């Protein structure tokens, strides 16, 4: 069973930056993909970014060029660097991994003010 601890959420102004961190209780080398999702008020939860075991990344169109996902397998950690933030980025952000089953973090609130 994988436990995920997320930190780094908070409040930023339009154009600002935040960095989210998700630490897994088991080695990231045993995990294939690691993902960041988000859920805004009145919207479905959406996939924001994915990183594979080998470091290949994909992004939702809405965040391309602004967000960067990365991982440090030695520290069992995945990051989401968020730059050029917009009010529409406001949401609860969730880390997800797969290790025989899907595991979710508790979520961290990101609020971007105009």
């Amino acid at each position: 069973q994988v436990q995920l601890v997320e930190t780094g959420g908070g409040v930023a102004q339009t154009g600002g930056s935040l960095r989210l961190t998700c630490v897994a209780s088991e080695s990231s080398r045993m995990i294939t993909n690691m993902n960041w999702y988000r859920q805004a008020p009145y919207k479905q939860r959406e996939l924001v970014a994915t990183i594979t075991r080998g470091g290949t990344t994909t992004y939702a169109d809405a965040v391309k060029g602004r967000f960067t996902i990365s991982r440090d397998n030695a520290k069992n950690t995945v990051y989401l660097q968020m730059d050029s933030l917009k009010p529409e980025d406001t949401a609860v952000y969730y880390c997800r991994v797969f290790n025989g089953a899907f595991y979710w973090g508790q979520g961290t609130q990101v609020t971007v003010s105009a």
Side-chain angles (χ1 to χ4, degrees), residues 98-113:
F98 182 81
N99 188 32
F102 289 107
Y103 297 91
W104 292 86
Q106 81 284 0
T108 184
Q109 176 70 48
V110 170
T111 302
V112 184
S113 61

Side-chain angles (χ1 to χ4, degrees), residues 67-86:
F67 290 11
T68 304
I69 187 172
S70 61
R71 65 193 290 172
D72 186 338
N73 290 335
K75 297 180 179 179
N76 303 329
T77 301
V78 60
Y79 305 94
L80 186 67
Q81 177 67 43
M82 304 183 294
D83 298 319
S84 302
L85 284 164
K86 303 175 180 180

Side-chain angles (χ1 to χ4, degrees), residues 13-55:
Q13 296 186 55
T14 297
S17 297
L18 289 171
R19 183 178 178 88
L20 306 184
T21 299
C22 176
V23 181
S25 61
E26 298 184 12
S27 173
S28 295
R29 293 182 180 273
M30 301 179 65
I31 300 170
T32 54
N33 289 10
M34 305 182 77
N35 313 105
W36 285 99
Y37 284 76
R38 68 185 182 186
Q39 188 164 24
Y42 311 109
K43 289 190 174 183
Q44 299 181 50
R45 187 170 298 185
E46 64 176 344
L47 177 63
V48 175
T50 296
I51 186 166
T52 69
R53 180 178 57 192

Side-chain angles (χ1 to χ4, degrees), residues 49-62:
T50 296
I51 186 166
T52 69
R53 180 178 57 192
T56 300
T57 60
T58 56
Y59 299 92
D61 288 341

